[in-house]
């Protein structure tokens, strides 16, 4: 691995737990509001208010845009609806029966970061879409279960990709997970697939002290993202 990994001690991992717990609770608040008739903006306001109550620093708010000259991110959550994969901007979009909503958020507490996401059905959704959600959740659980058993991340990623393919879906390759600690994005990059052009230098060891955000992204159709 070309990047230097910032391995965490047991003490540092323990210090990360409060931020993770707050993010989990923020997602519980958001999930209760993910119903037909509410807007993605209302969800964002609720999470923002919760962070303010705890003096937690929102990690997404004012995050710089990767495109020069474009505005920084305006919300504390990414709210991505239906065909949107990630990084959806909260606003006045009204959620409707049959939609699928991904809510991603993160915060920093006492200089340590937490970051997590959940994908939810809005009311009743069709069976194939529900299967997509189920397979994606199972892919994440597979990664959690396999990580202590494997030596290299590429071994986990390859099994995640194969599981998704066997289910008849596609793994998005435009976005990856990441390390996390005192910064939201730290080395290493954490792909959900093993590339055809895989290079050993792009892999990393699954050793004690690695803290990563695993982010499986699965599509009903093609893996392409526009």
């Amino acid at each position: 691995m070309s990047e230097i990994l910032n391995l965490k001690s047991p003490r540092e991992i323990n210090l990360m737990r409060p931020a993770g717990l707050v993010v989990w609770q923020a997602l519980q608040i958001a999930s209760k509001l993910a119903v037909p008739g509410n807007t993605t903006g209302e969800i964002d306001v609720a999470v923002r208010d919760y962070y303010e109550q705890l003096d937690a620093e929102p990690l997404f708010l004012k995050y710089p845009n990767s495109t020069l000259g474009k505005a920084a991110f305006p919300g504390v959550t990414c709210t991505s609806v239906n065909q949107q994969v990630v990084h959806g901007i909260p606003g006045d979009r009204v959620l409707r029966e049959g939609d699928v909503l991904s809510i991603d958020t993160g915060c920093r507490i006492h200089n340590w970061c937490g970051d997590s996401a959940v994908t939810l059905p809005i009311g009743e959704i069709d069976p194939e879409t529900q299967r997509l959600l189920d397979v994606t959740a199972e892919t994440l659980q597979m990664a959690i279960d396999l990580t202590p058993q494997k030596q290299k991340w590429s071994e986990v990623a390859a099994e995640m990709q194969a599981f998704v393919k066997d289910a008849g879906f596609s793994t998005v390759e435009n976005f990856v997970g990441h390390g996390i600690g005192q910064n939201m994005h730290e080395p290493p990059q954490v792909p959900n697939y093993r590339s055809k052009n895989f290079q050993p230098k792009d892999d990393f060891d699954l050793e004690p002290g690695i803290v990563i955000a695993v982010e499986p992204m699965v599509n009903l159709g093609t893996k392409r993202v526009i």
Side-chain angles (χ1 to χ4, degrees), residues 1 20 34 39 41 48 52 58 79 84 99 108 123 125 128 137 140-141 150-151 155-156 172 182 204 213:
M1 189 77 188
T39 67
R48 186 186 303 232
E52 288 180 356
T79 52
Q84 298 173 336
D99 284 344
R108 181 184 283 112
I125 61 175
E128 185 67 356
L140 175 59
Q141 189 59 54
K150 303 295 185 180
Q151 294 187 347
E155 299 174 76
V156 179
V172 173
Q182 291 188 311
F204 60 92

Side-chain angles (χ1 to χ4, degrees), residues 23-177:
V23 169
W24 176 83
Q25 185 60 56
L27 289 175
Q28 305 310 301
I29 293 169
S31 297
K32 291 178 181 178
L33 295 172
V35 296
N38 283 347
T39 67
T40 57
E42 289 171 323
I43 292 172
D44 191 74
V45 168
V47 173
R48 186 186 303 232
D49 289 346
Y50 179 65
Y51 286 159
E52 288 180 356
Q53 291 171 22
L54 300 179
D55 199 27
E57 176 191 351
L59 294 176
F60 296 3
L61 185 63
K62 299 181 181 179
Y63 194 87
N65 197 302
S66 58
T67 302
L68 187 65
K70 287 200 172 184
F73 195 79
V76 303
T77 63
C78 293
T79 52
S80 307
V81 183
N82 297 336
Q83 77 275 13
Q84 298 173 336
V85 178
V86 291
H87 306 153
I89 298 173
D92 58 4
R93 180 165 184 168
V94 178
L95 298 173
R96 304 189 185 283
E97 185 91 9
D99 284 344
V100 169
L101 173 66
S102 176
I103 308 169
D104 188 4
T105 191
C107 74
R108 181 184 283 112
I109 295 178
H110 304 310
N111 213 33
W112 292 95
C113 298
D115 176 21
S116 190
V118 63
T119 302
L120 303 167
I122 306 302
E124 294 291 328
I125 61 175
D126 67 82
E128 185 67 356
T129 304
Q130 183 61 59
R131 196 170 76 86
L132 172 70
L133 269 59
D134 293 341
V135 167
T136 307
E138 290 166 13
T139 305
L140 175 59
Q141 189 59 54
M142 169 185 285
I144 293 169
D145 293 341
L146 288 176
T147 294
Q149 303 174 24
K150 303 295 185 180
Q151 294 187 347
K152 296 282 189 178
W153 174 254
S154 62
E155 299 174 76
V156 179
E159 293 207 30
M160 293 169 69
Q161 184 178 28
F163 179 75
V164 170
K165 183 178 180 180
D166 288 346
F169 300 127
S170 302
T171 298
V172 173
E173 298 181 5
N174 296 65
F175 308 103
V176 298

